[in-house]
Amino acid sequence: MKKTYINGVGCISAQNTFDTFFLESAELNHDQTVLPLIVPVYKDYISPVAIRRMAKGVKNGIVASSLAMKDANKTSFEAIITGTGMGCIDDSDKFLKAILDNNEEFLTPTSFIQSTHNTVGAQIALGLQCKSYNFTYVNGSVSFESALLDAKLKIDEDEAASILIGGIDEINDYTVSLFKLAGFIKKELENPNDLLNSTTTGVVYSEGATFFVLEDKKQESTYAEILDVEIHNKLEIEEVEVKIKSFLKANAMQISDIDAIVLGYNGDVRTDSYYKSLSNNTFVNTSQVYYKHLSGEYNTSSAFGLWVASKIMKSQQIPQIVKVNSIENTSYKTILLYNQYKGIDHSFILITRC
């Protein structure tokens, strides 16, 4: 089997992650329960004519993928694989609204064409004239991990040497109103973004696009090697430690080999206990990192978590703003990522320094 290296990264998020190295200008939003996206000037990456017809998620995906390609100095790929939970939800809403408003008559197909979940991957492929494998995974909060697993398997089996992979999700006002009504999003409270000390239900929500260039060879730009990816649908709190130990054992490792763990704390008191159990017991002597207070929660926010882990690996430093505890190492060779949402869709990602 061949090795899988992260050779380029690109990220559009609720922080300035496109013209800084690693969260130098990151700021905590203490008031809003839906974090606004910070975006670059789109016309610097996409022609003004094309921008008019593109949904927000498509534009963010194209820019994030462009940043990753520039970082890796790579413009051609043997596969493009994306993951998304909600797809281009804004265009989906526009099309459904048009059906109702026009009594199912005289409908233009534009919004429908642009509402499909594979729109981002397709637009990137059109721009690159890439006619190779192009696949989009829509698996809820493990959509990105599903794409990552597919990419790693293709490289392992020598079916591709270079792959562009990403996680993209967008939101709109109508979706936000429904999520608030359902209790998915926190109510407007003072300091809702204090995730580690949260005593309330719901999450701070957002959107984003994060892309990676994966290759079978190490380059000057290499961040880390992806050792393994594993997904579980349902686990009880006490089962997580057992599964992690089994996951590490399969990679000839144990808990003491992990230099840092990246946890998906999102402030929902009902399910953050999964992370707290690990923080207070299994990994109590390990450097702990969290990130959703910066990125917000969305189906593919774990891609932002991998971006954070990749940057830690390359810089060999953990910014204060993402630290859960005060434990520090002289070097970070192996990092484990663990994420879940609403107590289901558990994922483990293991990366190591090259």
Side-chain angles (χ1 to χ4, degrees):
M1 291 195 306
K2 292 194 173 183
K3 294 184 177 182
T4 302
Y5 297 101
I6 299 174
N7 288 344
V9 300
C11 183
I12 301 298
S13 69
Q15 304 295 328
N16 182 358
T17 48
F18 50 85
D19 61 5
T20 60
F21 177 68
F22 187 24
L23 301 175
E24 299 96 308
S25 59
E27 295 182 358
L28 273 176
N29 187 323
H30 293 288
D31 305 310
Q32 293 174 281
T33 56
V34 180
L35 304 182
L37 210 64
I38 296 177
V39 296
V41 179
Y42 286 129
K43 65 180 181 181
D44 290 346
Y45 301 88
I46 311 168
S47 74
V49 175
I51 289 174
R52 292 172 47 250
R53 300 190 301 271
M54 287 183 178
K56 181 169 49 175
V58 176
K59 290 185 286 189
N60 293 331
I62 289 176
V63 173
S65 63
S66 298
L67 292 171
M69 287 187 285
K70 182 180 179 181
D71 193 24
N73 192 26
K74 188 81 177 178
T75 56
S76 61
F77 300 94
E78 293 169 279
I80 297 174
I81 309 175
T82 54
T84 180
M86 301 293 289
C88 299
I89 190 67
D90 201 25
D91 275 315
S92 298
D93 283 358
K94 286 178 183 177
F95 183 71
L96 292 173
K97 188 174 185 300
I99 290 177
L100 297 174
D101 292 346
N102 294 283
N103 196 29
E104 301 184 19
E105 297 177 338
F106 314 116
L107 298 172
T108 59
T110 307
S111 291
F112 174 73
I113 293 169
Q114 295 179 345
S115 70
T116 57
H117 290 69
N118 61 353
T119 301
V120 179
Q123 288 289 346
I124 293 171
L126 285 170
L128 297 176
Q129 287 298 293
C130 176
K131 300 178 176 64
S132 303
Y133 182 87
N134 194 312
F135 205 88
T136 297
Y137 285 88
V138 188
N139 291 348
S141 53
V142 289
S143 297
F144 172 71
E145 288 85 348
S146 300
L148 182 61
L149 186 57
D150 186 6
K152 190 176 187 315
L153 287 171
K154 291 191 78 66
I155 291 177
D156 283 350
E157 299 301 322
D158 204 18
E159 294 181 8
S162 59
I163 299 175
L164 182 64
I165 174 178
I168 319 99
D169 272 299
E170 67 176 37
I171 53 174
N172 61 6
D173 292 341
Y174 183 66
T175 303
V176 167
S177 67
L178 292 178
F179 281 7
K180 286 183 175 180
L181 188 65
F184 296 166
I185 297 176
K186 287 186 180 296
K187 295 179 180 178
E188 300 293 337
L189 298 170
E190 185 179 355
N191 202 16
N193 227 321
D194 186 10
L195 305 188
L196 296 180
N197 300 308
S198 174
T199 58
T200 58
T201 60
V203 304
V204 174
Y205 218 77
S206 191
E207 57 190 336
T210 310
F211 272 77
F212 303 87
V213 172
L214 304 184
E215 295 182 279
D216 64 352
K217 291 182 175 61
K218 183 181 176 182
Q219 310 288 354
E220 288 186 9
S221 61
T222 298
Y223 285 77
E225 177 191 346
I226 297 177
L227 289 179
D228 204 355
V229 183
E230 189 169 287
I231 299 170
H232 297 274
N233 181 232
K234 291 184 179 181
L235 293 175
E236 299 298 327
I237 293 176
E238 59 273 11
E239 291 180 292
V240 175
E241 179 182 347
V242 176
K243 292 295 183 181
I244 287 178
K245 288 180 176 178
S246 175
F247 176 66
L248 293 177
K249 185 178 180 181
N251 289 279
M253 290 186 184
Q254 53 190 357
I255 299 296
S256 58
D257 293 315
I258 303 301
D259 299 308
I261 182 168
V262 180
L263 299 166
Y265 279 103
N266 63 13
D268 192 323
V269 70
R270 294 169 296 189
T271 53
D272 269 1
S273 50
Y274 279 92
Y275 305 119
K276 289 184 178 180
S277 176
L278 295 176
S279 292
N280 298 331
N281 299 290
T282 316
F283 293 97
V284 67
N285 296 316
T286 305
S287 296
Q288 299 171 15
V289 176
Y290 73 134
Y291 56 92
K292 290 179 184 175
H293 59 308
L294 301 179
S295 69
E297 177 70 276
Y298 51 96
N299 284 131
T300 52
S301 59
S302 53
F304 184 88
L306 182 58
W307 179 86
V308 169
S310 300
K311 290 288 188 176
I312 290 173
M313 198 71 82
K314 193 159 194 174
S315 67
Q316 288 295 292
Q317 293 181 336
I318 300 177
Q320 186 64 40
I321 198 168
V322 295
K323 289 182 178 180
V324 175
N325 60 13
S326 57
I327 295 174
E328 293 186 3
N329 290 341
T330 54
S331 66
Y332 296 94
K333 182 181 179 182
T334 307
I335 297 178
L336 173 68
L337 294 90
Y338 167 54
N339 185 63
Q340 56 81 29
Y341 183 52
K342 296 183 180 178
I344 60 172
D345 289 345
H346 304 260
S347 66
F348 307 130
I349 302 174
L350 187 64
I351 65 173
T352 188
R353 191 180 182 186
C354 302

